[in-house]
Amino acid sequence: MKDILTAPFMTEMIRTATNMYAHGWDERNGGNISMLLDEAETAGYLAIPGIVRTIPTGFEAPGLDGKIFLVTGTGKYFKNVQYDPAKNLGIVRLAENGTEAEVLWGFSDGGRFTSEFPAHVMSHIARMRTDPLNRVIMHCHPGNLLAMTYVHDLDERAFTRTLWQMCTECIVVFPDGVNVLPWMLCGTNEIGEATAEKMETARLVVWAQHGIYGAGRDLDETFGLIETAEKAAEIYLKIAHLPIKNTITDDEMHLLETRFGVKARDGYLD
Ligand SMILES: [Zn+2]
């Protein structure tokens, strides 16, 4: 067996968690990531079946039995992932209609996956319905997006249009826009279901007064989505209290659509 800490999916996960912490998005034990692994990429790194122990998930996820996820641990700090990946991360395989998670590696101190795992798994299911190649769900607390939910209308069209207007590249990076959930109790199946429903139409879902969920085909894409939306929110907070003299018009947005071959969400541009 090769050293799993040298597997590309593992080094990418460690770098991403470290980078998210460095961006200030994951204070204390804030944030969580899950990445769907395909069995072929774990070959040579993981002995299958090799079940270390089994943890009840507290939810049902029909159709996902046998799916393997690399996921961050509950109560664990992103800043520590790079120093002890085996304690702060784990690899689990879903079984028994998703009601059980078989630990294949990690959570070495007896820990378990993030308390937001229900929201992650439901979001994976929802995203894969829209994009079968989706593999990553990422949650964090970027300061500017979070601040924006205190002062900006939470209407999804209005919120999205404001972000698109803040940087030229926004509509190119997230033409599907940003969906928004009002404040809800986190760690519950209810917020998981609500997030998953929002994930069917956009890869970014803001949790008001809490943070954001992102989805993508790999860690870079998902990180980049959140990074771009967060940059736009930063610009918004720099200018929202000033008289606005210029903006990116809808006509200019249409030029961006043509130039970059993207289609803005239906009804979001005039
Ligand atoms: Zn959170």
Side-chain angles (χ1 to χ4, degrees):
M1 279 291 157
K2 292 179 275 187
D3 179 1
I4 195 165
L5 293 179
T6 66
F9 59 80
M10 186 67 73
T11 54
E12 271 303 296
M13 181 68 129
I14 294 167
R15 282 185 197 141
T16 302
T18 304
N19 202 9
M20 289 172 75
Y21 175 73
H23 275 64
W25 300 348
D26 298 277
E27 73 288 346
R28 201 173 179 271
N29 62 328
N32 29 73
I33 312 172
S34 63
M35 178 163 61
L36 185 59
L37 302 178
D38 86 53
E39 209 162 309
E41 73 188 324
T42 66
Y45 295 104
L46 269 182
I48 304 279
I51 302 166
V52 181
R53 61 195 160 97
T54 300
I55 305 174
T57 61
F59 59 82
E60 280 189 29
L64 287 195
D65 280 5
K67 296 286 187 201
I68 300 172
F69 293 92
L70 173 58
V71 58
T72 52
T74 185
K76 298 296 192 277
Y77 292 24
F78 272 29
K79 78 181 181 67
N80 296 334
V81 167
Q82 62 177 321
Y83 304 112
D84 195 347
K87 187 166 100 180
N88 296 291
L89 303 173
I91 295 177
V92 298
R93 181 176 52 206
L94 293 179
E96 303 294 330
N97 267 332
T99 60
E100 286 190 349
E102 300 164 339
V103 178
L104 305 182
W105 174 88
F107 302 141
S108 63
D109 62 347
R112 50 184 290 151
F113 39 77
T114 168
S115 60
E116 300 293 355
F117 200 44
H120 278 245
V121 171
M122 290 180 222
S123 294
H124 277 286
I125 295 170
R127 270 322 295 173
M128 280 190 283
R129 237 179 262 140
T130 307
D131 177 9
L133 296 179
N134 194 86
R135 293 176 65 209
V136 174
I137 300 292
M138 182 182 284
H139 167 64
C140 57
H141 306 154
N144 294 293
L145 277 165
L146 221 165
M148 195 171 153
T149 67
Y150 285 84
V151 296
H152 194 284
D153 194 330
L154 296 183
D155 173 78
E156 290 168 345
R157 183 178 183 274
F159 202 95
T160 296
R161 285 179 53 84
T162 295
L163 291 176
W164 282 352
Q165 286 162 357
M166 294 305 111
C167 313
T168 294
E169 292 197 340
C170 280
I171 194 170
V172 180
V173 175
F174 50 96
D176 45 344
V178 174
N179 285 342
V180 184
L181 280 184
W183 188 91
M184 290 178 74
L185 186 62
C186 51
T188 63
N189 284 357
E190 286 71 28
I191 199 169
E193 284 162 13
T195 305
E197 198 186 315
K198 295 286 186 191
M199 277 281 176
E200 291 193 11
T201 50
R203 290 166 299 155
L204 289 169
V205 179
V206 167
W207 284 8
Q209 293 85 51
H210 184 138
I212 193 163
Y213 262 72
R217 293 179 173 186
D218 56 38
L219 288 164
D220 270 357
E221 181 195 344
T222 316
F223 181 96
L225 265 176
I226 294 175
E227 187 180 30
T228 307
E230 170 64 359
K231 178 67 168 282
E234 180 186 349
I235 306 300
Y236 172 74
L237 292 178
K238 285 183 198 289
I239 65 166
H241 59 294
L242 299 171
I244 306 295
K245 302 205 168 173
N246 309 291
T247 189
I248 306 169
T249 65
D250 282 24
D251 281 345
E252 289 164 342
M253 299 270 188
H254 286 303
L255 292 176
L256 288 164
E257 283 184 296
T258 308
R259 171 68 182 83
F260 291 96
V262 297
K263 177 78 188 74
R265 182 133 159 205
D266 271 351
Y268 275 33
L269 291 180
D270 293 330

